């Protein structure tokens, strides 16, 4: 069974997806990571994507769907979808064009906006290892350096406060209808994402059994 993680930026989807991937052998696919990879190639498409990401807007459905389906190997693996779907249209495209009958469960990471704003502003990421740090609650052992890979930590441009506020506006516009969509098909598990990372993980594992 596949897992779809929905919730505000900074609600812990990426952190929990990495834990589940390591401990329960899922594949983790993040549309944000795929888009950033495209940006890093410096292609024309990458430049367009960068402008949208840096302003906190969504990338168009067609581009996201193409990148996403090109990187999925359905059939052999169970996936955690992180950051997709993000609009009602993407929910429908996922059911109609990608999953087409595959079993999945949706996990909704519920958390208030002030808390995620604080988390994101203090978030630092290590792109190669995939580890996500919080300067206050989960800092690296050595300032600015990933404990696992030794690479320098990055403060994403779109994790700066004004962009985050825009990302939260965008999120607010679509989350109600996405939750409604999955609530109707009884595939939704709600998790209190304001708790510690350990507690969220424990609740998640309990909810999946
Ligand atoms: P994330 O890493 O999930 O926070 O995503 C970073 C940015 O990538 C978002 O603010 C969007 O600009 C873009 N993005 C990621 N996933 C999607 C998606 N499913 N649809 C549209 N844009 C996306």
């Amino acid at each position: 069974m596949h897992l779809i993680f929905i919730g505000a930026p900074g609600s812990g989807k990426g952190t929990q997806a990495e834990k589940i991937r390591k401990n329960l052998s899922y594949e983790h696919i993040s549309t944000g990571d795929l888009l950033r990879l495209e940006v890093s190639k410096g292609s024309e498409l990458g430049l367009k994507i960068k402008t949208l990401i840096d302003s906190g807007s969504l990338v168009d459905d067609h581009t996201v769907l193409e990148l996403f389906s090109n990187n999925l190997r359905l059939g052999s693996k169970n996936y955690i979808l992180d950051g997709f779907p993000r609009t009602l249209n993407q929910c429908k495209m996922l059911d109609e064009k990608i999953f087409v009958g595959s079993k999945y469960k949706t996990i909704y990471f519920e958390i208030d906006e002030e808390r995620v704003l604080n988390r994101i502003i203090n978030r630092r990421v290590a792109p190669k290892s995939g580890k996500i740090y919080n300067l206050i609650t989960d800092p690296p052992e050595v300032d600015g350096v990933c404990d696992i890979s030794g690479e320098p930590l990055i403060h994403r441009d779109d994790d700066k406060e004004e962009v985050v506020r825009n990302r939260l506006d965008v999120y607010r516009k679509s989350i109600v209808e996405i939750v409604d969509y999955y609530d109707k098909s009884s595939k939704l598990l709600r998790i209190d994402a304001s708790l510690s990372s350990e507690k969220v993980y424990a609740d998640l594992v309990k909810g999946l059994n």
Side-chain angles (χ1 to χ4, degrees), residues 9-10 13 30-33 35-36 49 52-61 64-65 82-87 90 123 156 158-159 163 167 170:
K13 303 185 300 294
S30 148
T31 41
D33 285 348
L35 291 163
R36 283 184 286 276
I49 293 173
L52 291 165
I53 291 184
D54 286 353
S55 67
S57 312
L58 290 183
V59 175
D60 69 280
D61 288 346
V64 175
L65 191 75
D82 165 12
F84 185 90
R86 245 179 167 97
T87 61
Q90 290 183 5
R123 172 161 77 179
R156 282 167 42 181
D158 63 336
D159 277 354
V163 184
R167 289 166 69 196
V170 169

PDB file of all heavy atoms in Angstrom, residues 9-10 13 30-33 35-36 49 52-61 64-65 82-87 90 123 156 158-159 163 167 170, ligand 1:
ATOM      1  N   PRO A   9       3.566  23.143   4.534  1.00  0.00           N
ATOM      2  CA  PRO A   9       5.028  23.106   4.517  1.00  0.00           C
ATOM      3  C   PRO A   9       5.503  23.218   5.961  1.00  0.00           C
ATOM      4  O   PRO A   9       4.932  23.981   6.746  1.00  0.00           O
ATOM      5  CB  PRO A   9       5.420  24.372   3.716  1.00  0.00           C
ATOM      6  CG  PRO A   9       4.180  25.113   3.400  1.00  0.00           C
ATOM      7  CD  PRO A   9       2.997  24.265   3.774  1.00  0.00           C
ATOM      8  N   GLY A  10       6.485  22.414   6.326  1.00  0.00           N
ATOM      9  CA  GLY A  10       7.005  22.484   7.700  1.00  0.00           C
ATOM     10  C   GLY A  10       6.226  21.641   8.690  1.00  0.00           C
ATOM     11  O   GLY A  10       6.522  21.646   9.886  1.00  0.00           O
ATOM     12  N   LYS A  13       6.331  16.388   7.065  1.00  0.00           N
ATOM     13  CA  LYS A  13       6.118  15.304   6.087  1.00  0.00           C
ATOM     14  C   LYS A  13       7.445  14.687   5.641  1.00  0.00           C
ATOM     15  O   LYS A  13       7.594  13.469   5.602  1.00  0.00           O
ATOM     16  CB  LYS A  13       5.362  15.816   4.845  1.00  0.00           C
ATOM     17  CG  LYS A  13       4.016  16.459   5.146  1.00  0.00           C
ATOM     18  CD  LYS A  13       3.263  16.847   3.887  1.00  0.00           C
ATOM     19  CE  LYS A  13       3.977  17.833   2.982  1.00  0.00           C
ATOM     20  NZ  LYS A  13       4.151  19.182   3.567  1.00  0.00           N
ATOM     21  N   SER A  30       9.517  12.960  -3.353  1.00  0.00           N
ATOM     22  CA  SER A  30       9.107  14.324  -2.998  1.00  0.00           C
ATOM     23  C   SER A  30       9.112  15.162  -4.272  1.00  0.00           C
ATOM     24  O   SER A  30      10.152  15.287  -4.929  1.00  0.00           O
ATOM     25  CB  SER A  30      10.089  14.888  -1.963  1.00  0.00           C
ATOM     26  OG  SER A  30      10.228  16.284  -2.105  1.00  0.00           O
ATOM     27  N   THR A  31       7.959  15.745  -4.616  1.00  0.00           N
ATOM     28  CA  THR A  31       7.928  16.558  -5.840  1.00  0.00           C
ATOM     29  C   THR A  31       8.798  17.809  -5.673  1.00  0.00           C
ATOM     30  O   THR A  31       9.420  18.258  -6.631  1.00  0.00           O
ATOM     31  CB  THR A  31       6.483  16.948  -6.234  1.00  0.00           C
ATOM     32  OG1 THR A  31       5.761  17.299  -5.059  1.00  0.00           O
ATOM     33  CG2 THR A  31       5.792  15.832  -6.957  1.00  0.00           C
ATOM     34  N   GLY A  32       8.879  18.334  -4.429  1.00  0.00           N
ATOM     35  CA  GLY A  32       9.759  19.480  -4.196  1.00  0.00           C
ATOM     36  C   GLY A  32      11.200  19.123  -4.548  1.00  0.00           C
ATOM     37  O   GLY A  32      11.894  19.883  -5.228  1.00  0.00           O
ATOM     38  N   ASP A  33      11.662  17.928  -4.120  1.00  0.00           N
ATOM     39  CA  ASP A  33      13.039  17.501  -4.417  1.00  0.00           C
ATOM     40  C   ASP A  33      13.228  17.317  -5.928  1.00  0.00           C
ATOM     41  O   ASP A  33      14.270  17.702  -6.478  1.00  0.00           O
ATOM     42  CB  ASP A  33      13.362  16.173  -3.714  1.00  0.00           C
ATOM     43  CG  ASP A  33      13.582  16.359  -2.218  1.00  0.00           C
ATOM     44  OD1 ASP A  33      13.703  17.519  -1.769  1.00  0.00           O
ATOM     45  OD2 ASP A  33      13.606  15.344  -1.495  1.00  0.00           O
ATOM     46  N   LEU A  35      11.641  18.798  -8.326  1.00  0.00           N
ATOM     47  CA  LEU A  35      11.660  20.121  -8.965  1.00  0.00           C
ATOM     48  C   LEU A  35      12.988  20.825  -8.711  1.00  0.00           C
ATOM     49  O   LEU A  35      13.580  21.425  -9.616  1.00  0.00           O
ATOM     50  CB  LEU A  35      10.486  20.966  -8.454  1.00  0.00           C
ATOM     51  CG  LEU A  35       9.103  20.492  -8.920  1.00  0.00           C
ATOM     52  CD1 LEU A  35       7.981  21.092  -8.067  1.00  0.00           C
ATOM     53  CD2 LEU A  35       8.872  20.853 -10.385  1.00  0.00           C
ATOM     54  N   ARG A  36      13.502  20.721  -7.484  1.00  0.00           N
ATOM     55  CA  ARG A  36      14.801  21.360  -7.172  1.00  0.00           C
ATOM     56  C   ARG A  36      15.927  20.716  -7.971  1.00  0.00           C
ATOM     57  O   ARG A  36      16.862  21.386  -8.395  1.00  0.00           O
ATOM     58  CB  ARG A  36      15.078  21.305  -5.656  1.00  0.00           C
ATOM     59  CG  ARG A  36      14.288  22.344  -4.855  1.00  0.00           C
ATOM     60  CD  ARG A  36      14.654  22.346  -3.379  1.00  0.00           C
ATOM     61  NE  ARG A  36      14.119  21.212  -2.673  1.00  0.00           N
ATOM     62  CZ  ARG A  36      12.884  21.133  -2.178  1.00  0.00           C
ATOM     63  NH1 ARG A  36      12.053  22.136  -2.299  1.00  0.00           N
ATOM     64  NH2 ARG A  36      12.460  20.049  -1.550  1.00  0.00           N
ATOM     65  N   ILE A  49      10.892  26.953 -13.321  1.00  0.00           N
ATOM     66  CA  ILE A  49      10.478  26.350 -12.048  1.00  0.00           C
ATOM     67  C   ILE A  49      11.045  27.158 -10.879  1.00  0.00           C
ATOM     68  O   ILE A  49      10.362  27.433  -9.897  1.00  0.00           O
ATOM     69  CB  ILE A  49      10.965  24.873 -11.972  1.00  0.00           C
ATOM     70  CG1 ILE A  49      10.245  24.019 -13.010  1.00  0.00           C
ATOM     71  CG2 ILE A  49      10.765  24.302 -10.577  1.00  0.00           C
ATOM     72  CD1 ILE A  49      10.773  22.594 -13.131  1.00  0.00           C
ATOM     73  N   LEU A  52       9.071  30.197  -9.920  1.00  0.00           N
ATOM     74  CA  LEU A  52       7.829  29.875  -9.204  1.00  0.00           C
ATOM     75  C   LEU A  52       8.111  29.458  -7.764  1.00  0.00           C
ATOM     76  O   LEU A  52       7.475  29.934  -6.825  1.00  0.00           O
ATOM     77  CB  LEU A  52       7.081  28.751  -9.947  1.00  0.00           C
ATOM     78  CG  LEU A  52       6.500  29.176 -11.294  1.00  0.00           C
ATOM     79  CD1 LEU A  52       6.099  27.961 -12.125  1.00  0.00           C
ATOM     80  CD2 LEU A  52       5.299  30.095 -11.089  1.00  0.00           C
ATOM     81  N   ILE A  53       9.105  28.580  -7.606  1.00  0.00           N
ATOM     82  CA  ILE A  53       9.428  28.103  -6.240  1.00  0.00           C
ATOM     83  C   ILE A  53       9.871  29.280  -5.366  1.00  0.00           C
ATOM     84  O   ILE A  53       9.424  29.424  -4.229  1.00  0.00           O
ATOM     85  CB  ILE A  53      10.530  27.020  -6.275  1.00  0.00           C
ATOM     86  CG1 ILE A  53       9.987  25.737  -6.913  1.00  0.00           C
ATOM     87  CG2 ILE A  53      11.055  26.733  -4.872  1.00  0.00           C
ATOM     88  CD1 ILE A  53      10.964  24.567  -6.916  1.00  0.00           C
ATOM     89  N   ASP A  54      10.732  30.134  -5.924  1.00  0.00           N
ATOM     90  CA  ASP A  54      11.269  31.240  -5.121  1.00  0.00           C
ATOM     91  C   ASP A  54      10.199  32.239  -4.695  1.00  0.00           C
ATOM     92  O   ASP A  54      10.395  32.996  -3.748  1.00  0.00           O
ATOM     93  CB  ASP A  54      12.381  31.973  -5.885  1.00  0.00           C
ATOM     94  CG  ASP A  54      13.670  31.143  -5.917  1.00  0.00           C
ATOM     95  OD1 ASP A  54      13.704  30.096  -5.243  1.00  0.00           O
ATOM     96  OD2 ASP A  54      14.619  31.542  -6.620  1.00  0.00           O
ATOM     97  N   SER A  55       9.073  32.258  -5.436  1.00  0.00           N
ATOM     98  CA  SER A  55       8.011  33.195  -5.045  1.00  0.00           C
ATOM     99  C   SER A  55       6.976  32.498  -4.165  1.00  0.00           C
ATOM    100  O   SER A  55       6.012  33.109  -3.713  1.00  0.00           O
ATOM    101  CB  SER A  55       7.343  33.778  -6.290  1.00  0.00           C
ATOM    102  OG  SER A  55       6.641  32.744  -6.951  1.00  0.00           O
ATOM    103  N   GLY A  56       7.131  31.195  -3.981  1.00  0.00           N
ATOM    104  CA  GLY A  56       6.190  30.455  -3.133  1.00  0.00           C
ATOM    105  C   GLY A  56       4.944  30.012  -3.874  1.00  0.00           C
ATOM    106  O   GLY A  56       3.975  29.579  -3.261  1.00  0.00           O
ATOM    107  N   SER A  57       4.949  30.133  -5.216  1.00  0.00           N
ATOM    108  CA  SER A  57       3.775  29.705  -6.008  1.00  0.00           C
ATOM    109  C   SER A  57       3.913  28.238  -6.394  1.00  0.00           C
ATOM    110  O   SER A  57       5.005  27.667  -6.326  1.00  0.00           O
ATOM    111  CB  SER A  57       3.683  30.518  -7.300  1.00  0.00           C
ATOM    112  OG  SER A  57       3.819  31.873  -7.026  1.00  0.00           O
ATOM    113  N   LEU A  58       2.808  27.665  -6.872  1.00  0.00           N
ATOM    114  CA  LEU A  58       2.861  26.278  -7.318  1.00  0.00           C
ATOM    115  C   LEU A  58       3.365  26.200  -8.760  1.00  0.00           C
ATOM    116  O   LEU A  58       3.116  27.093  -9.563  1.00  0.00           O
ATOM    117  CB  LEU A  58       1.462  25.642  -7.266  1.00  0.00           C
ATOM    118  CG  LEU A  58       0.875  25.387  -5.883  1.00  0.00           C
ATOM    119  CD1 LEU A  58      -0.476  24.698  -6.010  1.00  0.00           C
ATOM    120  CD2 LEU A  58       1.808  24.554  -5.018  1.00  0.00           C
ATOM    121  N   VAL A  59       4.037  25.113  -9.066  1.00  0.00           N
ATOM    122  CA  VAL A  59       4.441  24.817 -10.446  1.00  0.00           C
ATOM    123  C   VAL A  59       3.218  24.190 -11.128  1.00  0.00           C
ATOM    124  O   VAL A  59       2.397  23.548 -10.460  1.00  0.00           O
ATOM    125  CB  VAL A  59       5.655  23.852 -10.423  1.00  0.00           C
ATOM    126  CG1 VAL A  59       6.045  23.421 -11.819  1.00  0.00           C
ATOM    127  CG2 VAL A  59       6.828  24.513  -9.695  1.00  0.00           C
ATOM    128  N   ASP A  60       3.090  24.391 -12.454  1.00  0.00           N
ATOM    129  CA  ASP A  60       1.869  23.908 -13.120  1.00  0.00           C
ATOM    130  C   ASP A  60       1.737  22.387 -13.059  1.00  0.00           C
ATOM    131  O   ASP A  60       2.738  21.650 -13.032  1.00  0.00           O
ATOM    132  CB  ASP A  60       1.827  24.402 -14.575  1.00  0.00           C
ATOM    133  CG  ASP A  60       2.900  23.736 -15.405  1.00  0.00           C
ATOM    134  OD1 ASP A  60       4.069  24.179 -15.318  1.00  0.00           O
ATOM    135  OD2 ASP A  60       2.597  22.752 -16.088  1.00  0.00           O
ATOM    136  N   ASP A  61       0.491  21.944 -13.049  1.00  0.00           N
ATOM    137  CA  ASP A  61       0.180  20.517 -12.869  1.00  0.00           C
ATOM    138  C   ASP A  61       0.864  19.635 -13.907  1.00  0.00           C
ATOM    139  O   ASP A  61       1.351  18.551 -13.595  1.00  0.00           O
ATOM    140  CB  ASP A  61      -1.337  20.288 -12.977  1.00  0.00           C
ATOM    141  CG  ASP A  61      -2.073  20.816 -11.756  1.00  0.00           C
ATOM    142  OD1 ASP A  61      -1.417  21.099 -10.734  1.00  0.00           O
ATOM    143  OD2 ASP A  61      -3.309  20.937 -11.838  1.00  0.00           O
ATOM    144  N   VAL A  64       4.600  19.121 -13.115  1.00  0.00           N
ATOM    145  CA  VAL A  64       4.775  18.304 -11.909  1.00  0.00           C
ATOM    146  C   VAL A  64       4.412  16.855 -12.198  1.00  0.00           C
ATOM    147  O   VAL A  64       5.151  15.930 -11.841  1.00  0.00           O
ATOM    148  CB  VAL A  64       3.911  18.856 -10.747  1.00  0.00           C
ATOM    149  CG1 VAL A  64       3.995  17.958  -9.534  1.00  0.00           C
ATOM    150  CG2 VAL A  64       4.359  20.254 -10.376  1.00  0.00           C
ATOM    151  N   LEU A  65       3.296  16.670 -12.887  1.00  0.00           N
ATOM    152  CA  LEU A  65       2.841  15.300 -13.163  1.00  0.00           C
ATOM    153  C   LEU A  65       3.858  14.547 -14.010  1.00  0.00           C
ATOM    154  O   LEU A  65       4.136  13.372 -13.776  1.00  0.00           O
ATOM    155  CB  LEU A  65       1.485  15.346 -13.880  1.00  0.00           C
ATOM    156  CG  LEU A  65       0.800  13.995 -13.965  1.00  0.00           C
ATOM    157  CD1 LEU A  65       0.209  13.610 -12.620  1.00  0.00           C
ATOM    158  CD2 LEU A  65      -0.285  13.987 -15.027  1.00  0.00           C
ATOM    159  N   ASP A  82       5.288  12.706  -1.026  1.00  0.00           N
ATOM    160  CA  ASP A  82       5.503  13.860  -0.140  1.00  0.00           C
ATOM    161  C   ASP A  82       5.446  15.121  -1.005  1.00  0.00           C
ATOM    162  O   ASP A  82       6.310  15.327  -1.846  1.00  0.00           O
ATOM    163  CB  ASP A  82       6.875  13.649   0.534  1.00  0.00           C
ATOM    164  CG  ASP A  82       7.449  14.871   1.193  1.00  0.00           C
ATOM    165  OD1 ASP A  82       6.730  15.866   1.361  1.00  0.00           O
ATOM    166  OD2 ASP A  82       8.644  14.825   1.550  1.00  0.00           O
ATOM    167  N   GLY A  83       4.396  15.921  -0.800  1.00  0.00           N
ATOM    168  CA  GLY A  83       4.275  17.154  -1.594  1.00  0.00           C
ATOM    169  C   GLY A  83       3.431  16.986  -2.841  1.00  0.00           C
ATOM    170  O   GLY A  83       3.293  17.916  -3.629  1.00  0.00           O
ATOM    171  N   PHE A  84       2.891  15.834  -3.039  1.00  0.00           N
ATOM    172  CA  PHE A  84       1.998  15.568  -4.177  1.00  0.00           C
ATOM    173  C   PHE A  84       0.917  14.606  -3.708  1.00  0.00           C
ATOM    174  O   PHE A  84       1.272  13.572  -3.112  1.00  0.00           O
ATOM    175  CB  PHE A  84       2.773  14.933  -5.335  1.00  0.00           C
ATOM    176  CG  PHE A  84       1.952  14.740  -6.580  1.00  0.00           C
ATOM    177  CD1 PHE A  84       1.891  15.732  -7.549  1.00  0.00           C
ATOM    178  CD2 PHE A  84       1.220  13.572  -6.765  1.00  0.00           C
ATOM    179  CE1 PHE A  84       1.118  15.559  -8.694  1.00  0.00           C
ATOM    180  CE2 PHE A  84       0.449  13.400  -7.908  1.00  0.00           C
ATOM    181  CZ  PHE A  84       0.402  14.389  -8.867  1.00  0.00           C
ATOM    182  N   PRO A  85      -0.360  14.855  -3.915  1.00  0.00           N
ATOM    183  CA  PRO A  85      -0.953  15.994  -4.620  1.00  0.00           C
ATOM    184  C   PRO A  85      -1.054  17.250  -3.746  1.00  0.00           C
ATOM    185  O   PRO A  85      -1.098  17.158  -2.535  1.00  0.00           O
ATOM    186  CB  PRO A  85      -2.354  15.475  -4.960  1.00  0.00           C
ATOM    187  CG  PRO A  85      -2.664  14.492  -3.893  1.00  0.00           C
ATOM    188  CD  PRO A  85      -1.364  13.864  -3.495  1.00  0.00           C
ATOM    189  N   ARG A  86      -1.110  18.391  -4.431  1.00  0.00           N
ATOM    190  CA  ARG A  86      -1.189  19.676  -3.730  1.00  0.00           C
ATOM    191  C   ARG A  86      -2.404  20.482  -4.170  1.00  0.00           C
ATOM    192  O   ARG A  86      -2.624  21.577  -3.668  1.00  0.00           O
ATOM    193  CB  ARG A  86       0.066  20.484  -4.070  1.00  0.00           C
ATOM    194  CG  ARG A  86       0.969  20.748  -2.881  1.00  0.00           C
ATOM    195  CD  ARG A  86       2.155  21.512  -3.404  1.00  0.00           C
ATOM    196  NE  ARG A  86       2.969  22.105  -2.405  1.00  0.00           N
ATOM    197  CZ  ARG A  86       4.085  21.559  -1.917  1.00  0.00           C
ATOM    198  NH1 ARG A  86       4.474  20.362  -2.299  1.00  0.00           N
ATOM    199  NH2 ARG A  86       4.811  22.217  -1.057  1.00  0.00           N
ATOM    200  N   THR A  87      -3.137  19.972  -5.144  1.00  0.00           N
ATOM    201  CA  THR A  87      -4.377  20.626  -5.579  1.00  0.00           C
ATOM    202  C   THR A  87      -5.415  19.526  -5.798  1.00  0.00           C
ATOM    203  O   THR A  87      -5.046  18.348  -5.958  1.00  0.00           O
ATOM    204  CB  THR A  87      -4.194  21.359  -6.932  1.00  0.00           C
ATOM    205  OG1 THR A  87      -3.824  20.376  -7.918  1.00  0.00           O
ATOM    206  CG2 THR A  87      -3.138  22.434  -6.878  1.00  0.00           C
ATOM    207  N   GLN A  90      -4.750  17.663  -8.904  1.00  0.00           N
ATOM    208  CA  GLN A  90      -3.675  16.656  -8.784  1.00  0.00           C
ATOM    209  C   GLN A  90      -4.189  15.392  -8.081  1.00  0.00           C
ATOM    210  O   GLN A  90      -3.775  14.289  -8.415  1.00  0.00           O
ATOM    211  CB  GLN A  90      -2.475  17.243  -8.038  1.00  0.00           C
ATOM    212  CG  GLN A  90      -1.720  18.292  -8.837  1.00  0.00           C
ATOM    213  CD  GLN A  90      -0.485  18.830  -8.111  1.00  0.00           C
ATOM    214  OE1 GLN A  90      -0.116  18.374  -7.039  1.00  0.00           O
ATOM    215  NE2 GLN A  90       0.149  19.832  -8.712  1.00  0.00           N
ATOM    216  N   ARG A 123      14.530  25.981   9.800  1.00  0.00           N
ATOM    217  CA  ARG A 123      14.856  24.710   9.144  1.00  0.00           C
ATOM    218  C   ARG A 123      16.129  24.851   8.297  1.00  0.00           C
ATOM    219  O   ARG A 123      16.319  25.839   7.610  1.00  0.00           O
ATOM    220  CB  ARG A 123      13.676  24.317   8.244  1.00  0.00           C
ATOM    221  CG  ARG A 123      13.951  23.123   7.373  1.00  0.00           C
ATOM    222  CD  ARG A 123      12.672  22.502   6.882  1.00  0.00           C
ATOM    223  NE  ARG A 123      12.039  23.244   5.798  1.00  0.00           N
ATOM    224  CZ  ARG A 123      10.908  22.852   5.211  1.00  0.00           C
ATOM    225  NH1 ARG A 123      10.284  21.755   5.626  1.00  0.00           N
ATOM    226  NH2 ARG A 123      10.385  23.570   4.239  1.00  0.00           N
ATOM    227  N   ARG A 156      16.939  27.040   2.524  1.00  0.00           N
ATOM    228  CA  ARG A 156      16.289  27.218   1.216  1.00  0.00           C
ATOM    229  C   ARG A 156      15.767  28.640   1.051  1.00  0.00           C
ATOM    230  O   ARG A 156      15.228  29.224   1.996  1.00  0.00           O
ATOM    231  CB  ARG A 156      15.115  26.235   1.096  1.00  0.00           C
ATOM    232  CG  ARG A 156      15.541  24.825   0.776  1.00  0.00           C
ATOM    233  CD  ARG A 156      14.429  23.817   0.976  1.00  0.00           C
ATOM    234  NE  ARG A 156      13.111  24.239   0.487  1.00  0.00           N
ATOM    235  CZ  ARG A 156      12.020  23.468   0.607  1.00  0.00           C
ATOM    236  NH1 ARG A 156      12.087  22.276   1.169  1.00  0.00           N
ATOM    237  NH2 ARG A 156      10.861  23.897   0.156  1.00  0.00           N
ATOM    238  N   ASP A 158      13.207  29.566  -0.421  1.00  0.00           N
ATOM    239  CA  ASP A 158      11.757  29.636  -0.183  1.00  0.00           C
ATOM    240  C   ASP A 158      11.397  29.319   1.273  1.00  0.00           C
ATOM    241  O   ASP A 158      10.228  29.215   1.603  1.00  0.00           O
ATOM    242  CB  ASP A 158      10.982  28.739  -1.165  1.00  0.00           C
ATOM    243  CG  ASP A 158      11.300  27.263  -1.018  1.00  0.00           C
ATOM    244  OD1 ASP A 158      12.402  26.927  -0.517  1.00  0.00           O
ATOM    245  OD2 ASP A 158      10.445  26.436  -1.399  1.00  0.00           O
ATOM    246  N   ASP A 159      12.406  29.173   2.128  1.00  0.00           N
ATOM    247  CA  ASP A 159      12.139  29.019   3.561  1.00  0.00           C
ATOM    248  C   ASP A 159      12.312  30.355   4.293  1.00  0.00           C
ATOM    249  O   ASP A 159      12.289  30.412   5.522  1.00  0.00           O
ATOM    250  CB  ASP A 159      13.071  27.966   4.192  1.00  0.00           C
ATOM    251  CG  ASP A 159      12.551  26.547   3.978  1.00  0.00           C
ATOM    252  OD1 ASP A 159      11.433  26.394   3.451  1.00  0.00           O
ATOM    253  OD2 ASP A 159      13.259  25.591   4.354  1.00  0.00           O
ATOM    254  N   VAL A 163       8.428  34.488   1.816  1.00  0.00           N
ATOM    255  CA  VAL A 163       8.037  33.444   0.860  1.00  0.00           C
ATOM    256  C   VAL A 163       7.198  32.380   1.579  1.00  0.00           C
ATOM    257  O   VAL A 163       6.206  31.886   1.043  1.00  0.00           O
ATOM    258  CB  VAL A 163       9.274  32.797   0.187  1.00  0.00           C
ATOM    259  CG1 VAL A 163       8.845  31.782  -0.859  1.00  0.00           C
ATOM    260  CG2 VAL A 163      10.164  33.846  -0.440  1.00  0.00           C
ATOM    261  N   ARG A 167       3.640  30.773   0.651  1.00  0.00           N
ATOM    262  CA  ARG A 167       3.406  29.319   0.512  1.00  0.00           C
ATOM    263  C   ARG A 167       2.236  28.887   1.392  1.00  0.00           C
ATOM    264  O   ARG A 167       1.436  28.044   0.994  1.00  0.00           O
ATOM    265  CB  ARG A 167       4.677  28.540   0.913  1.00  0.00           C
ATOM    266  CG  ARG A 167       5.795  28.690  -0.103  1.00  0.00           C
ATOM    267  CD  ARG A 167       7.113  28.211   0.455  1.00  0.00           C
ATOM    268  NE  ARG A 167       7.166  26.775   0.646  1.00  0.00           N
ATOM    269  CZ  ARG A 167       8.092  26.160   1.393  1.00  0.00           C
ATOM    270  NH1 ARG A 167       9.032  26.874   1.994  1.00  0.00           N
ATOM    271  NH2 ARG A 167       8.084  24.859   1.505  1.00  0.00           N
ATOM    272  N   VAL A 170      -1.003  29.852  -0.285  1.00  0.00           N
ATOM    273  CA  VAL A 170      -1.298  28.912  -1.375  1.00  0.00           C
ATOM    274  C   VAL A 170      -1.847  27.609  -0.789  1.00  0.00           C
ATOM    275  O   VAL A 170      -2.850  27.055  -1.248  1.00  0.00           O
ATOM    276  CB  VAL A 170      -0.017  28.628  -2.206  1.00  0.00           C
ATOM    277  CG1 VAL A 170      -0.209  27.460  -3.160  1.00  0.00           C
ATOM    278  CG2 VAL A 170       0.421  29.882  -2.960  1.00  0.00           C
TER     279      VAL A 170
HETATM  280  P1  LIG B   1       8.254  21.390  -0.952  1.00  0.00           P
HETATM  281  O1  LIG B   1       9.672  20.956  -0.981  1.00  0.00           O
HETATM  282  O2  LIG B   1       7.271  20.253  -0.934  1.00  0.00           O
HETATM  283  O3  LIG B   1       7.986  22.387   0.158  1.00  0.00           O
HETATM  284  O4  LIG B   1       7.983  22.167  -2.323  1.00  0.00           O
HETATM  285  C1  LIG B   1       8.713  23.332  -2.670  1.00  0.00           C
HETATM  286  C2  LIG B   1       8.036  24.035  -3.822  1.00  0.00           C
HETATM  287  O5  LIG B   1       7.998  23.180  -4.975  1.00  0.00           O
HETATM  288  C3  LIG B   1       6.577  24.438  -3.590  1.00  0.00           C
HETATM  289  O6  LIG B   1       6.456  25.651  -2.873  1.00  0.00           O
HETATM  290  C4  LIG B   1       6.085  24.554  -5.028  1.00  0.00           C
HETATM  291  O7  LIG B   1       6.560  25.747  -5.636  1.00  0.00           O
HETATM  292  C5  LIG B   1       6.794  23.390  -5.714  1.00  0.00           C
HETATM  293  N1  LIG B   1       5.996  22.149  -5.640  1.00  0.00           N
HETATM  294  C6  LIG B   1       6.274  21.011  -4.940  1.00  0.00           C
HETATM  295  N2  LIG B   1       5.345  20.076  -5.120  1.00  0.00           N
HETATM  296  C7  LIG B   1       4.428  20.621  -5.963  1.00  0.00           C
HETATM  297  C8  LIG B   1       3.204  20.148  -6.521  1.00  0.00           C
HETATM  298  N3  LIG B   1       2.715  18.930  -6.227  1.00  0.00           N
HETATM  299  N4  LIG B   1       2.527  20.976  -7.363  1.00  0.00           N
HETATM  300  C9  LIG B   1       2.998  22.207  -7.654  1.00  0.00           C
HETATM  301  N5  LIG B   1       4.122  22.717  -7.162  1.00  0.00           N
HETATM  302  C10 LIG B   1       4.843  21.935  -6.310  1.00  0.00           C
END
